[in-house]
Amino acid sequence: MGCFFSRRRKPAQGGQLPQQAGAGQDAATGEQKAPQYSWDLRAKADPKDYTFSGLKNETVGRLPGKVAGQQFVIQDCENCKIYIFDHSATITIDDCVNCQIFLGPIKGSVFFRDCKDCKCVVACQQFRTRDCRKLEVFLCCATQPIIESSTGMKFGCFQYYYPELALQFKDAGLSIFNNTWSNIHDFTPVSGENNWGLLPETAVVQDYVSLPSSEELKAVRVSTDATKSIIPVTRGRRQKNSDESCLAVFFAGDYTTANARKLIDEMTSKGFQLVQTKEVLMKAEDAHRVFQQSALEFIPLLEKGPVVALEFNGDGAVEQCQSTINEVFSGTKVFVSESKASASQDVDNFYNFADMQMGM
């Protein structure tokens, strides 16, 4: 049997035992201290680390991991080359002139205001301009891009690669298959005029936004080769070359993205054009509308996650897509338009559904 011993404390002068400091009190003074929380102990972000302001004739940037989802501000820059090789929350670009700008994936919005003669590569959830002139943008945008009080705007499909970019898209909550780059909404149209258009189909990113030249930024290992682009390069709203299109839908699985990219490579190498892509969740009622007679076969697969849909265009697209699926993707569940006659309706049914799901 053990014994518990305690040392008797001497009473303080006046016969009182000294008070113990309570929770939240200073042990020496007994005064109440302000509570400390874990977020108070984090390093405070310095706004200067997330701002480029008042620069002229400079090349500046941020390497992967240096922005890490923070907001960023670019303002009052002239004749500069600016590269944000990381994901961010939002970015605002104000009063910039004759700049080349690359912006990695943006979880929220990018807003250009009072800018002119700039060339950009941008990936974002929302894209908006106001009071801008002559911006040329290679764009990936998950929602409909909006221009307001802007003229001379030109748009092309995002084409860019560096090793960290795929993970940055995930961190920003963006799908590489949801890109409405050519579906521009002009908030302030002028009768008889067109404030925006598309860049030439042959436009090359590097002719607009050059590769970084500083030793620090060259370490990012950028490629502007369209065949390596993290975003599949689509025709968007350009006129189709053929009356025949084909819809291919991949259901969620371990290799959905890789399989979709493989089919894109196979089809485009044979001369067919990728018109548009989508990644979206579907319900059973959606399946009946899109897949019609085949719906019952695919409904159980919809619970596994979003589907990835691809539209290919070109004479013989349906037959070639079916043949490629049978040869390359045995064991993978894919819906492919059954005939040339049904293909156009399949495409319309799916993308009408997808646009409604995405609020477009």
Side-chain angles (χ1 to χ4, degrees):
M1 187 171 94
C3 298
F4 177 77
F5 294 94
S6 65
R7 186 180 297 274
R8 184 181 180 86
R9 288 185 295 171
K10 293 182 180 180
Q13 193 170 5
Q16 299 280 333
L17 284 171
Q19 273 190 321
Q20 286 186 319
Q25 285 185 320
D26 186 282
T29 66
E31 294 179 358
Q32 192 72 24
K33 294 190 297 184
Q36 271 196 328
Y37 302 101
S38 60
W39 52 85
D40 292 325
L41 303 177
R42 296 175 188 162
K44 298 293 184 182
D46 187 342
K48 290 186 293 186
D49 293 334
Y50 308 101
T51 303
F52 290 136
S53 180
L55 305 179
K56 287 191 176 182
N57 304 309
E58 293 192 42
T59 296
V60 293
R62 289 290 182 267
L63 294 171
K66 295 301 183 181
V67 179
Q70 297 287 337
Q71 298 180 359
F72 211 97
V73 174
I74 302 171
Q75 59 189 13
D76 300 310
C77 294
E78 185 175 350
N79 299 323
C80 289
K81 297 179 180 179
I82 299 169
Y83 307 87
I84 308 296
F85 291 129
D86 205 358
H87 70 103
S88 57
T90 62
I91 296 184
T92 55
I93 302 98
D94 294 322
D95 300 291
C96 289
V97 179
N98 195 32
C99 290
Q100 297 181 21
I101 301 172
F102 172 84
L103 303 178
I106 303 162
K107 186 172 185 177
S109 64
V110 59
F111 200 176
F112 287 82
R113 297 177 293 202
D114 298 289
C115 296
K116 62 180 181 180
D117 298 315
C118 291
K119 297 172 171 58
C120 314
V121 181
V122 178
C124 59
Q125 175 74 22
Q126 299 174 328
F127 177 91
R128 187 172 178 183
T129 70
R130 189 177 69 203
D131 299 315
C132 292
R133 280 195 301 116
K134 293 180 67 177
L135 299 191
E136 297 172 314
V137 186
F138 289 86
L139 179 63
C140 173
C141 187
T143 58
Q144 186 174 30
I146 295 174
I147 64 172
E148 180 181 358
S149 302
S150 300
T151 60
M153 312 292 287
K154 299 287 186 181
F155 294 91
C157 184
F158 183 102
Q159 302 169 38
Y160 219 78
Y161 170 83
Y162 53 88
E164 299 84 355
L165 191 53
L167 182 57
Q168 291 172 4
F169 265 86
K170 289 184 179 180
D171 288 339
L174 300 178
S175 167
I176 64 171
F177 295 109
N178 290 334
N179 185 9
T180 63
W181 67 270
S182 63
N183 187 20
I184 311 298
H185 175 66
D186 188 349
F187 199 71
T188 51
V190 178
S191 179
E193 297 183 19
N194 195 355
N195 293 321
W196 67 275
L198 303 183
L199 290 168
E201 195 171 351
T202 55
V204 177
V205 168
Q206 199 167 329
D207 293 340
Y208 294 77
V209 178
S210 58
L211 297 178
S213 56
S214 71
E215 289 303 315
E216 179 187 38
L217 297 176
K218 282 164 66 175
V220 178
R221 295 188 291 156
V222 169
S223 172
T224 57
D225 182 346
T227 63
K228 296 181 180 179
S229 176
I230 194 72
I231 297 294
V233 179
T234 56
R235 288 185 62 77
R237 295 207 163 190
R238 290 191 178 101
Q239 185 173 355
K240 297 177 182 178
N241 291 342
S242 170
D243 292 332
E244 183 177 348
S245 282
C246 179
L247 177 70
V249 179
F250 287 83
F251 294 87
D254 293 336
Y255 305 104
T256 303
T257 297
N259 286 338
R261 296 303 299 254
K262 176 65 174 174
L263 182 60
I264 291 171
D265 291 343
E266 291 284 336
M267 291 293 287
T268 55
S269 70
K270 294 177 171 65
F272 297 96
Q273 295 180 318
L274 181 64
V275 178
Q276 56 182 328
T277 65
K278 279 286 189 296
E279 182 173 13
V280 66
L281 287 166
M282 297 184 72
K283 299 177 181 178
E285 57 267 30
D286 304 320
H288 286 290
R289 182 168 35 156
V290 174
F291 305 126
Q292 300 178 31
Q293 294 90 345
S294 304
L296 291 178
E297 176 187 354
F298 297 122
I299 285 175
L301 303 174
L302 300 180
E303 297 178 357
K304 297 183 178 180
V307 301
V308 172
L310 315 171
E311 179 191 351
F312 296 101
N313 181 259
D315 294 342
V318 172
E319 182 180 352
Q320 183 60 58
C321 195
Q322 290 173 340
S323 174
T324 302
I325 292 292
N326 292 335
E327 292 173 7
V328 180
F329 299 100
S330 58
T332 299
K333 280 292 184 180
V334 189
F335 169 84
V336 187
S337 297
E338 294 182 357
S339 67
K340 180 178 176 180
S342 66
S344 294
Q345 189 60 53
D346 291 338
V347 170
D348 289 343
N349 286 344
F350 183 86
Y351 286 105
N352 287 339
F353 146 76
D355 288 345
M356 285 191 294
Q357 288 292 100
M358 302 177 73
M360 295 176 60

